[in-house]
Amino acid sequence: MAKKRYAMLIDMRRCIGCHACTVACKAENAVPLEVNATWLKIIEKGKYPDTRRYFLPRMCNNCTDAICARNCPTQATYKRDDGIVVVDQHRCIGCKYCIASCPYDVRFINPLKNIVQKCYFCVHRVESGLVPACVESCPTRAMIFGDKNDSKSEIAQMLATNATEVLKQEMETDPQVFYIDADETVMSNVEKKINYRAESSLIKLRL
Amino acid sequence: MRKISRRDFLKLSAAGTAVLAIESQLNPLAEAMELMTGGRSVNRTSHLPRSFLPSTCTQCPAGCGIMGYVEESRLVKIGGNPKHINNQGTLCARGQAGINALYDPDRILKPLKRAGGRGKNRWTTIDWRQAYDEVAKTMQQIRSNPAQFVYLTEDLRQDMLGRRFTNAFGSPNAIGAAAIFDANKKVATELTWGAAGDMPDVARTKYALIFGANPMESHPQFVGFVRRLVDGIQQNQAKVVTFDVRLTNTSALAKEAYYVNPGTYSMLALSMANIIMSEGLQDSGFINQWTNVSERDLAAHLAQFTAEKAEKETGVAANVIRRIATEFARTKPATTVSDGMASSHLNGTQNERAIMLLNVITGNVDIRGGLCLPRQYDLADASPVPPAPVASSLSQPAELPLAGQQSIERSLQMIQDRKYPVGVLMSHGYNPVYSNPDGDAFAEALKDDSLIPYHVAVTPYMTETAALADIILPETTYLEGWDIEARPSPEQVPYVALRQPVVPPLQDSKSFFDIATELSTRVAGGMESYFNFKSVEDYIDARIAGISGLMSAGGLNYLKQYGIWYDPKSKPDYGAYATGGFQTPSGKIEVSSPRLEQQGYSALPNYDPVPAFNNLSKDELVLTIYDTAIQSDAKTANCMWLDEILHDNPVLINPQTAASLGIKDGDKVTVVRTARTGDGVRSPGGTGVDAKARSVQTTAFITEGIHPRVVAMANGVGHTGFGRIAQGKKVDKSSVERVLRDPNTELVWWGEKDGTGVNPKKIVPVMPEPAGGGQAWGDVVVTVGKSSD
Amino acid sequence: MENSDVNVIYSVQHQLPLVMYIGQYFFFTGLSAGSFVISVIATLLGRKEFKPIGKITAILAPILLIIAPINLIADLEQPLRFWHLFVYYNWTSPITYGSFLLTAYPIMGIIYAVMVYTDRQKAAKILGILGIPLAISVHGYTGFILALAKARALWNTAAMPTIFLVSAMVSGIGLVVIIAAARWKWFDKKATPEDRRKDKRLILQLAQFMAYIIMLDLFLIVSDILVLLTAHSDAYQAGMLILTGNFAPLFLGVEIFLGSIVPMVLVLGPTRYSLRAIVIASILVNIGVYAMRFVMVIGGQSIPLS
Ligand SMILES: Nc1nc2c(c(=O)[nH]1)N[C@H]1C(S)=C(S)[C@@H](COP(=O)(O)OP(=O)(O)OC[C@H]3O[C@@H](n4cnc5c(=O)[nH]c(N)nc54)[C@H](O)[C@@H]3O)O[C@H]1N2
Ligand SMILES: Nc1nc2c(c(=O)[nH]1)N[C@H]1C(S)=C(S)[C@@H](COP(=O)(O)OP(=O)(O)OC[C@H]3O[C@@H](n4cnc5c(=O)[nH]c(N)nc54)[C@H](O)[C@@H]3O)O[C@H]1N2
Ligand code: SF4
Ligand code: SF4
Ligand code: SF4
Ligand code: SF4
Ligand code: SF4
Ligand SMILES: [Mo]
């Protein structure tokens, strides 16, 4: 059998923007306040009355070509055989170079532990035969997780039968979080006229 | 990679379906996976399985099944119960954040007695013996006049024990707050088809017309309902059309989403009904057999609601109304989804009846994929059942004969206006100062001991209401207590679920069962005989005794193990009314309601414009207070994981409107209720319709996603009590009881940065809808202007 | 929906991972590398009048390079684990080569300084020649740190190491000019007037050299920005951020105007013989380079990636 390759698929035709995944991750992985391993981006487009809202759950893409791992000076961040990119919490020195390198802004310094963390596809659950916490909680089953090299898996079938996109393809990181039917604007910040209301204070100086 | 053909895929799906006992449209693959993997959890470092207990979430009325995962007697995580028929292993954000509520750093863990004037926030810790003695003593003082005992609770339907306690004492005045929201809907449905409420069968429908509901963010059955609605859209290709005053998460998944003028649902629905009837798209067989009107009479009544008139009233184009109406009638099965907001207007009862009518004339009543009767077990109280005392003017308002239930906002106003004498007020898990309209006025009343001589708050938290108590009895949270739950089933299969302690009561907190039992023993005088159970389990046992299927499956032991029971062979019994008829006096659907007519309302569904919205001036806007997927009313603001996501509530304004008012995004603005608010309200009290607070200050959020005549603010934030987390304050670990400690409370950041919003409900006057008695939350007229300071 | 407005109604705030410690670190390594190169040039040229400058810079380089990594370690979330860098190295990470360079270079620098001070010319020259690539690498790698962080449009350019090197030269020479001028003014009184004149000329020459390097620096920066403005949208946003956005005052005002244009005018213009003007120019140059480090490190991270 082919080597395992874990991946996530988020079906935006099913996502209701409820934040259950966000909170599930906090609960499962003791992610402190201030930081998020997964979160939701919500935008509104259009002019009244032709308006529409779009969601995008965001998390580490566990990239095949993970820049974070390539740039980590201590190999604290590394890719496992099953494709999951993990951070060895005892080895990480907190140089934060991985955060600066990742094109997806999905890594963070845990303010209680002073180490860098991110979504690691709930490795501890996956190894015990469970699905990740966010996947389990999602009320509308918008998230599908599994081994995409196992053709019998739901994710392999969904990937084979649906058009999917990934974030920032041009970064050539080969992300392993796939989206079905995600809006192109919410996936990038291409629009010149973005109102960064929610992010106006996103720069948080930790001096 | 092997490509899967469509046939293989279907085969796999069929295999998956077999796993389910219940027929369902749910994605079978995912379902199988959830059943295999859900309901377990492992320790993150040791990977060892965690022990768990199933229970029920009460963070909102949906009652999802949860699993409490425990390590060394500390609750470490709340997960979903995969066996629960509503949520099937999934949970919303609020359900998972319940752990924050359990370990709220400001939770009250010992009885408190007021040490200064009411509301001065000075307390002394007392022991339970003293607390019980004092409360029992004051209750005994009104023993000869028991109706002076007033018991306020969140939802009487979920607080059987509270009613039992009040009845046993001899008072009729157990008053539930749930009526504040859905009374009009309950009355409308009750009058029309003899059952309170409805349950759209959205998993199996082909067409869902949503009126003023926002199920992707809030719904009484939230998780259980949306997962089925999304399945309906995806598996069943159901078309969803919404009518709302603002852009919502629901419109994100809807095929079509329309903005509609506030308060005009009945016009919209009636004009659609008119089109359906005039084009001959109705289900004549159903109308003739199952309603109390003739097609001809109905058509004649509906003829006045032309699409053109409707366009003028509702703002929805006539051709859209026509197209949607015919689509709705031609697509089978179809259903409407209407919720609180449709009935939260002064024409709420009619709105709800008009919306129901669409299902009735198209024969979509209680069919697979249609608008179904609510299915739930009617749980009896445990015997011996205390006799129900004679109703009082507080519990059964004479001016609301149809309601058959209460109207808490009106009851509170009667107390405030000295229309009803109170001896002892007990508030139980209910925070009217925050949740009710005109909460400031009730706060004043609570401060006045000539109005309310004694106030006992039974609550785990120092809410705005509890802060005005004489004595606080620290109750356990929902995660440490017992109850039996049977709520309307979105799967259309009734169930019984258990709430059991996932952890033992923290410190000195006690369950309401223990409190009620102990108090009734001390108050005595016969009351104690109704609380003569060996244990709370004994009491629960007595309540489920009547459900034979459950008893033969193992009764309480079964529930303790699985958390939920439903008849595994049962399928939705669509159309069961065919044998016994509807539970109305005529046995039919009373499209024409003689009971409404008797009270001077139109017998047939009608459109009565909201008086306050008549000829609004250019700067008068309608205020909508909406629920979000993150917070539940007054309940969840002490959950830091939720507050981090939603902690403030800027007022949403359309750019056109904002431009004409000279308001820019981020400006500080004042939202002022105008005198027009309350036009047409028949005030039962005497205070009229003037809430104490006239205005609130917030910031402007300019968005295209709102009707230009409407401004909107989120509900659930803006607390001035309820502990430090709810108020966005950092909590120093060392100031907290050891059992409640969590280093995260020191990281609370939003209070300093964004503030914690305001509570717009305090500027809403008490406005009971005349027929249903529910509060007309939607009828507030405001002006918005830049704040001067 | 053409020309649609986009309202981001929810997202989360992101941490700014690298703070000014890193900018400072870049600044000090730059100074060090700059001084070392000057020192080696002085040693190689072997002229007597260059000697004092060669000595100052020989001692400056290792001192600055001991200060620099202190910033780096202070920035670590787990400073006590800095030794992991050597034990668990990763050759695809520029920080790994940096760790070894940062160890090797000051050691070499100290030995070199000893040679210079003990007047062992030949050894000093050999060490100097060997040391130049090391010095260039030490500073050039800092440019690689930024350039290889693909995520950040402002950093992710092949010109980054060169820009860093050139600005390091600028600031390094600036520092040497300041120190040499101070020595000339206060500590060089015993020298003959002839030597003093020669010394002053040398300082003026150094300053002119600095001005030419500033020109090179400006050229690199302008070409970098032109490319940013015409590349993909993130890059465009990065360009606009420093041209018109929050970082414009620092970039245009401090880095370009005060830190480059004004010093060039002072050094090449009518004040070109005034030691005072030249010292002011050198101070401004260093302020400008410090600002540049700030704009690069902080500005580079302040464009939301999601
Ligand atoms: N404008 C406007 N106003 C509204 C609404 C609206 O949509 N718009 N919504 C209305 C609706 S639908 C409703 S139902 C009401 C709700 O109004 P309430 O019933 O007052 O609010 P709840 O959110 O149900 O929470 C009640 C209290 O329960 C307490 N609590 C939380 N957990 C526990 C526990 O485990 N045990 C005990 N004993 N107490 C606990 C909290 O202290 C909370 O203050 O608000 C109404 N107000
Ligand atoms: N996530 C979440 N779920 C909840 C709750 C919660 O607070 N949060 N509360 C629970 C409770 S207690 C209840 S009763 C239910 C309430 O659930 P809902 O009835 O869905 O209540 P709301 O979200 O208040 O109102 C629904 C929509 O009506 C719109 N609306 C308001 N006024 C008008 C109008 O005049 N015309 C039209 N067309 N639309 C209008 C609002 O914009 C809003 O989007 O939800 C329950 N579930
Ligand atoms: S998304 Fe970022 S953190 Fe995650 S693997 Fe890819 S590069 Fe690394
Ligand atoms: S912060 Fe930790 S994980 Fe990230 S690059 Fe540095 S050592 Fe590696
Ligand atoms: S997979 Fe696990 S770690 Fe990753 S976002 Fe989901 S819950 Fe968080
Ligand atoms: S839990 Fe599911 S539906 Fe909710 S936001 Fe996350 S992905 Fe979307
Ligand atoms: S919908 Fe959410 S809050 Fe409501 S019962 Fe279910 S999990 Fe709890
Ligand atoms: Mo409610």
Side-chain angles (χ1 to χ4, degrees):
Chain A
M1 207 170 132
K3 219 163 73 172
K4 276 192 169 32
R5 186 64 181 94
Y6 287 118
M8 179 87 82
L9 176 64
I10 308 181
D11 188 345
M12 299 315 294
R13 298 170 306 186
R14 283 183 163 270
C15 175
I16 57 166
C18 69
H19 284 94
C21 42
T22 319
V23 176
C25 187
K26 290 236 161 174
E28 178 69 29
N29 297 304
V31 177
L33 297 182
E34 290 184 356
V35 290
N36 296 278
T38 178
W39 75 97
L40 197 61
K41 185 175 171 188
I42 308 178
I43 64 163
E44 285 175 359
K45 283 208 296 195
K47 291 259 183 255
Y48 180 89
D50 297 313
T51 48
R52 207 154 173 97
R53 203 176 261 197
Y54 298 93
F55 315 114
L56 192 76
R58 303 276 276 97
M59 65 188 73
C60 167
N61 290 294
N62 288 276
C63 306
T64 305
D65 192 0
I67 309 179
C68 54
R70 200 197 313 144
N71 280 353
C72 172
T74 61
Q75 298 184 37
T77 295
Y78 64 96
K79 202 167 104 218
R80 293 161 37 112
D81 279 348
D82 54 16
I84 302 179
V85 177
V86 291
V87 185
D88 180 337
Q89 314 216 343
H90 301 288
R91 185 175 285 190
C92 172
I93 58 172
C95 69
K96 295 158 287 192
Y97 188 37
C98 50
I99 309 185
S101 312
C102 166
Y104 307 98
D105 243 350
V106 292
R107 297 182 151 250
F108 58 88
I109 306 155
N110 181 320
L112 297 173
K113 291 183 164 174
N114 294 337
I115 40 166
V116 167
Q117 296 181 322
K118 67 173 190 78
C119 157
Y120 58 154
F121 280 173
C122 283
V123 144
H124 61 290
R125 289 177 61 96
V126 173
E127 283 181 338
S128 310
L130 306 175
V131 293
C134 51
V135 176
E136 185 179 88
S137 75
C138 176
T140 58
R141 257 182 274 90
M143 305 173 119
I144 298 165
F145 177 85
D147 174 7
K148 68 174 192 179
N149 284 354
D150 171 5
S151 57
K152 286 204 282 298
S153 71
E154 188 189 7
I155 192 167
Q157 294 168 17
M158 290 292 282
L159 286 171
T161 48
N162 288 280
T164 55
E165 302 102 81
V166 293
L167 287 169
K168 296 193 188 171
Q169 185 117 47
E170 73 280 4
M171 288 288 164
E172 289 166 349
T173 52
D174 193 6
Q176 297 301 305
V177 174
F178 299 90
Y179 297 91
I180 295 180
D181 206 24
D183 173 67
E184 61 171 34
T185 318
V186 79
M187 289 191 88
S188 64
N189 26 12
V190 186
E191 293 288 325
K192 300 268 156 61
K193 277 170 75 183
I194 286 186
N195 170 7
Y196 274 114
R197 181 183 180 280
E199 304 196 41
S200 57
S201 47
L202 95 174
I203 308 163
K204 184 148 159 277
L205 290 166
R206 299 181 87 247
L207 285 171
Chain B
M1 194 188 295
R2 189 175 75 96
K3 280 254 155 55
I4 297 263
S5 74
R6 200 176 139 68
R7 257 185 68 225
D8 287 343
F9 199 83
L10 288 177
K11 254 196 305 202
L12 274 162
S13 311
T17 321
V19 179
L20 280 176
I22 293 189
E23 175 237 33
S24 138
Q25 298 286 323
L26 307 175
N27 178 342
L29 277 169
E31 197 58 25
M33 175 138 109
E34 271 164 24
L35 288 175
M36 275 173 347
T37 61
R40 281 170 57 204
S41 179
V42 292
N43 180 292
R44 241 171 342 125
T45 43
S46 67
H47 292 208
L48 291 174
R50 289 161 164 169
S51 68
F52 65 86
L53 273 180
S55 190
T56 303
C57 178
T58 64
Q59 293 271 72
C60 92
C64 294
I66 56 172
M67 292 287 193
Y69 295 103
V70 178
E71 281 175 18
E72 291 167 10
S73 78
R74 191 169 170 102
L75 181 67
V76 288
K77 183 183 153 102
I78 298 174
N81 179 356
K83 297 226 151 46
H84 202 286
I85 196 166
N86 285 5
N87 57 311
Q88 296 164 304
T90 70
L91 283 183
C92 81
R94 297 164 295 149
Q96 302 183 82
I99 191 167
N100 294 165
L102 176 65
Y103 298 116
D104 179 333
D106 289 329
R107 221 186 115 168
I108 304 169
L109 294 171
K110 291 195 166 63
L112 297 179
K113 187 183 151 113
R114 176 162 68 83
R118 271 203 202 148
K120 290 281 183 288
N121 204 23
R122 275 200 294 278
W123 305 89
T124 36
T125 306
I126 55 176
D127 62 16
W128 273 102
R129 236 198 41 214
Q130 185 187 348
Y132 283 140
D133 282 346
E134 292 198 8
V135 176
K137 200 181 75 212
T138 33
M139 285 183 70
Q140 268 164 346
Q141 283 164 4
I142 55 165
R143 202 69 188 91
S144 54
N145 204 349
Q148 285 194 6
F149 178 72
V150 175
Y151 176 85
L152 302 179
T153 187
E154 181 193 347
D155 187 351
L156 269 183
R157 288 165 293 198
Q158 311 303 336
D159 189 2
M160 197 74 103
L161 207 52
R163 166 163 283 156
R164 184 184 186 87
F165 180 78
T166 314
N167 285 359
F169 184 72
S171 168
N173 296 323
I175 296 172
I180 207 173
F181 200 71
D182 56 13
N184 303 334
K185 174 161 190 148
K186 292 268 143 67
V187 169
T189 43
E190 184 93 61
L191 287 173
T192 310
W193 67 7
D198 59 17
M199 185 55 74
D201 195 14
V202 284
R204 300 155 180 122
T205 198
K206 287 280 182 197
Y207 204 99
L209 257 187
I210 304 186
F211 290 93
N214 179 14
M216 309 285 181
E217 290 180 82
S218 71
H219 187 275
Q221 269 69 43
F222 188 51
V223 165
F225 192 82
V226 275
R227 60 191 281 109
R228 287 170 174 84
L229 180 55
V230 170
D231 279 332
I233 297 172
Q234 289 305 321
Q235 247 88 39
N236 230 5
Q237 270 80 51
K239 175 166 177 175
V240 170
V241 179
T242 69
F243 296 97
D244 203 313
V245 294
R246 58 185 191 99
L247 184 59
T248 64
N249 285 11
T250 308
S251 56
L253 289 198
K255 253 278 162 0
E256 297 176 34
Y258 295 99
Y259 289 93
V260 55
N261 294 338
T264 60
Y265 304 89
S266 24
M267 186 54 161
L268 193 58
L270 292 171
S271 70
M272 288 183 181
N274 181 26
I275 289 154
I276 293 170
M277 298 287 284
S278 56
E279 302 206 352
L281 297 173
Q282 73 275 33
D283 183 338
S284 305
F286 186 84
I287 300 176
N288 291 330
Q289 193 183 353
W290 288 111
T291 74
N292 67 348
V293 286
S294 74
E295 279 184 87
R296 232 194 46 221
D297 290 353
L298 185 59
H301 169 71
L302 292 173
Q304 54 181 309
F305 304 107
T306 64
E308 285 64 33
K309 244 196 208 161
E311 170 171 332
K312 227 178 106 243
E313 276 298 305
T314 66
V316 182
N319 61 344
V320 171
I321 298 178
R322 269 195 212 96
R323 182 171 53 77
I324 305 273
T326 44
E327 272 178 20
F328 180 82
R330 288 206 166 105
T331 316
K332 292 275 155 44
T335 184
T336 59
V337 178
S338 65
D339 215 36
M341 266 339 237
S343 54
S344 292
H345 290 281
L346 282 171
N347 52 13
T349 304
Q350 292 292 11
N351 284 341
E352 199 55 49
R353 277 175 43 82
I355 294 165
M356 285 180 88
L357 182 65
L358 286 172
N359 305 278
V360 174
I361 60 172
T362 51
N364 280 307
V365 172
D366 209 42
I367 60 166
R368 187 190 150 95
L371 184 70
C372 292
L373 289 155
R375 288 170 165 77
Q376 77 193 101
Y377 285 107
D378 206 358
L379 293 173
D381 200 357
S383 67
V385 180
V390 187
S392 71
S393 60
L394 197 69
S395 71
Q396 278 298 329
E399 73 276 16
L400 294 170
L402 293 173
Q405 54 177 323
Q406 301 146 337
S407 170
I408 196 161
E409 75 279 20
R410 175 199 147 278
S411 304
L412 297 191
Q413 210 178 37
M414 281 182 72
I415 296 172
Q416 283 154 231
D417 294 345
R418 298 180 196 271
K419 295 262 162 74
Y420 193 91
V422 177
V424 175
L425 180 90
M426 181 180 280
S427 63
H428 174 210
Y430 173 47
N431 186 8
V433 171
Y434 174 87
S435 317
N436 269 45
D438 199 4
D440 287 0
F442 190 60
E444 295 282 288
L446 283 175
K447 282 183 201 155
D448 183 346
D449 53 15
S450 71
L451 272 178
I452 297 164
Y454 197 66
H455 174 199
V456 191
V458 184
T459 169
Y461 310 114
M462 187 64 81
T463 60
E464 289 86 344
T465 303
L468 300 172
D470 295 292
I471 192 161
I472 297 178
L473 307 181
E475 199 199 350
T476 51
T477 66
Y478 71 101
L479 294 163
E480 307 149 274
W482 294 86
D483 210 343
I484 197 85
E485 311 269 354
R487 310 197 184 204
S489 164
E491 186 59 39
Q492 319 292 358
V493 171
Y495 67 88
V496 180
L498 181 69
R499 190 152 67 71
Q500 64 180 324
V502 295
V503 285
L506 296 193
Q507 253 188 34
D508 286 346
S509 60
K510 288 197 191 300
S511 74
F512 189 63
F513 178 86
D514 289 345
I515 296 173
T517 303
E518 190 61 40
L519 278 178
S520 57
T521 318
R522 288 176 195 236
V523 173
M527 179 179 194
E528 71 284 9
S529 63
Y530 300 106
F531 287 87
N532 204 6
F533 300 99
K534 281 201 291 293
S535 66
V536 62
E537 294 178 44
D538 207 24
Y539 163 75
I540 301 276
D541 242 345
R543 282 191 60 193
I544 55 175
I547 301 166
S548 58
L550 169 58
M551 292 319 277
S552 55
L556 185 55
N557 281 333
Y558 183 93
L559 289 179
K560 281 159 106 177
Q561 192 174 348
Y562 298 107
I564 180 164
W565 175 84
Y566 51 86
D567 183 348
K569 288 189 294 290
S570 103
K571 287 203 156 75
D573 56 340
Y574 299 112
Y577 61 84
T579 45
F582 290 92
Q583 302 299 306
T584 52
S586 62
K588 295 189 170 187
I589 295 182
E590 301 198 336
V591 169
S592 169
S593 174
R595 284 173 289 175
L596 267 177
E597 195 167 27
Q598 264 167 30
Q599 300 303 322
Y601 304 100
S602 158
L604 286 168
N606 206 2
Y607 174 59
D608 309 314
V610 174
F613 296 170
N614 184 32
N615 285 325
L616 287 183
S617 74
K618 221 176 97 260
D619 56 350
E620 279 181 313
L621 304 164
V622 176
L623 173 68
T624 283
I625 304 169
Y626 60 95
D627 286 334
T628 67
I630 315 302
Q631 301 279 8
S632 277
D633 299 312
K635 192 166 273 179
T636 49
N638 60 342
C639 298
M640 57 187 171
W641 290 336
L642 303 177
D643 295 347
E644 183 173 33
I645 300 170
L646 186 95
H647 43 256
D648 61 352
N649 54 350
V651 59
L652 277 47
I653 312 178
N654 185 288
Q656 279 176 39
T657 315
S660 74
L661 297 170
I663 292 170
K664 285 193 293 300
D665 194 60
D667 279 354
K668 287 240 167 312
V669 292
T670 311
V671 179
V672 187
R673 170 177 44 89
T674 71
R676 189 190 280 277
T677 306
D679 277 4
V681 175
R682 295 189 216 160
S683 172
T687 330
V689 284
D690 199 16
K692 264 195 90 51
R694 251 173 61 80
S695 65
V696 287
Q697 286 211 350
T698 180
T699 46
F701 179 18
I702 313 290
T703 167
E704 296 279 353
I706 187 160
H707 191 295
R709 308 295 304 143
V710 175
V711 290
M713 291 174 80
N715 188 18
V717 296
H719 278 274
T720 51
F722 203 9
R724 285 171 285 180
I725 298 291
Q727 296 172 73
K729 295 178 186 151
K730 283 190 165 55
V731 178
D732 183 356
K733 249 192 325 199
S734 59
S735 69
V736 170
E737 290 279 352
R738 190 171 299 273
V739 280
L740 302 174
R741 268 180 209 173
D742 179 341
N744 279 292
T745 58
E746 300 190 336
L747 298 175
V748 169
W749 53 266
W750 49 90
E752 287 164 18
K753 188 172 152 276
D754 304 336
T756 48
V758 290
N759 177 12
K761 287 179 284 192
K762 66 181 186 182
I763 68 167
V764 180
V766 170
M767 300 190 283
E769 197 254 16
Q775 163 73 5
W777 287 110
D779 294 348
V780 183
V781 180
V782 295
T783 56
V784 182
K786 265 170 114 155
S787 299
S788 39
D789 49 337
Chain C
M1 268 183 273
E2 81 287 357
N3 189 27
S4 55
D5 267 352
V6 175
N7 224 356
V8 177
I9 53 172
Y10 187 81
S11 197
V12 295
Q13 56 180 0
H14 291 284
Q15 290 170 327
L16 189 75
L18 305 181
V19 294
M20 208 38 211
Y21 281 128
I22 297 298
Q24 240 145 247
Y25 159 69
F26 289 167
F27 180 71
F28 284 117
T29 46
L31 280 181
S32 166
S35 347
F36 188 80
V37 171
I38 302 289
S39 171
V40 174
I41 294 174
T43 310
L44 287 183
L45 292 180
R47 301 222 316 252
K48 187 168 149 269
E49 63 266 34
F50 288 2
K51 246 195 191 155
I53 287 190
K55 278 192 176 168
I56 298 171
T57 46
I59 196 89
L60 262 181
I63 290 178
L64 287 167
L65 211 82
I66 286 162
I67 302 176
I70 293 176
N71 283 287
L72 206 56
I73 292 177
D75 183 66
L76 294 184
E77 299 295 316
Q78 295 285 349
L80 294 179
R81 291 187 191 166
F82 78 94
W83 54 272
H84 287 192
L85 284 165
F86 302 99
V87 182
Y88 307 119
Y89 53 82
N90 172 13
W91 287 120
T92 57
S93 171
I95 294 187
T96 290
Y97 5 117
S99 326
F100 289 96
L101 288 171
L102 278 173
T103 323
Y105 169 74
I107 294 175
M108 212 249 23
I110 289 168
I111 302 176
Y112 166 81
V114 172
M115 297 303 147
V116 169
Y117 275 85
T118 54
D119 220 1
R120 279 179 261 183
Q121 281 292 337
K122 191 145 171 230
K125 275 186 188 163
I126 292 172
L127 277 175
I129 291 170
L130 289 179
I132 289 224
L134 212 49
I136 292 183
S137 317
V138 160
H139 193 64
Y141 110 86
T142 60
F144 276 107
I145 287 192
L146 295 191
L148 293 186
K150 205 175 193 174
R152 316 281 167 170
L154 195 60
W155 301 350
N156 184 215
T157 148
M160 196 48 61
T162 320
I163 293 181
F164 262 56
L165 266 182
V166 171
S167 55
M169 286 300 293
V170 172
S171 64
I173 301 173
L175 184 67
V176 174
V177 168
I178 295 167
I179 291 174
R183 176 175 166 277
W184 186 84
K185 179 115 197 257
W186 292 303
F187 306 109
D188 208 17
K189 297 277 155 52
K190 287 181 299 241
T192 61
E194 170 69 2
D195 279 354
R196 278 182 66 81
R197 226 182 45 243
K198 268 194 190 153
D199 263 7
K200 185 172 173 186
R201 223 180 65 222
L202 194 67
I203 293 172
L204 296 181
Q205 273 170 358
L206 256 181
Q208 269 172 19
F209 185 44
M210 176 172 83
Y212 297 128
I213 299 189
I214 292 179
M215 282 178 205
L216 178 60
D217 196 21
L218 280 179
F219 169 75
L220 286 171
I221 287 173
V222 169
S223 32
D224 187 35
I225 287 182
L226 283 179
V227 175
L228 277 181
L229 292 183
T230 51
H232 57 99
S233 66
D234 271 5
Y236 175 82
Q237 282 195 23
M240 293 314 277
L241 178 82
I242 57 173
L243 286 181
T244 61
N246 284 345
F247 288 83
L250 258 184
F251 174 70
L252 292 178
V254 182
E255 178 181 342
I256 301 295
F257 183 73
L258 277 183
S260 306
I261 314 262
V262 174
M264 265 199 309
V265 172
L266 286 175
V267 171
L268 301 178
T271 52
R272 67 178 159 253
Y273 300 116
S274 148
L275 205 54
R276 178 173 299 171
I278 280 166
V279 167
I280 290 175
S282 303
I283 293 173
L284 284 178
V285 152
N286 269 288
I287 293 176
V289 171
Y290 193 85
M292 177 251 180
R293 305 298 192 232
F294 186 89
V295 171
M296 276 298 160
V297 173
I298 311 291
Q301 298 170 87
S302 59
I303 297 167
L305 297 178
S306 47

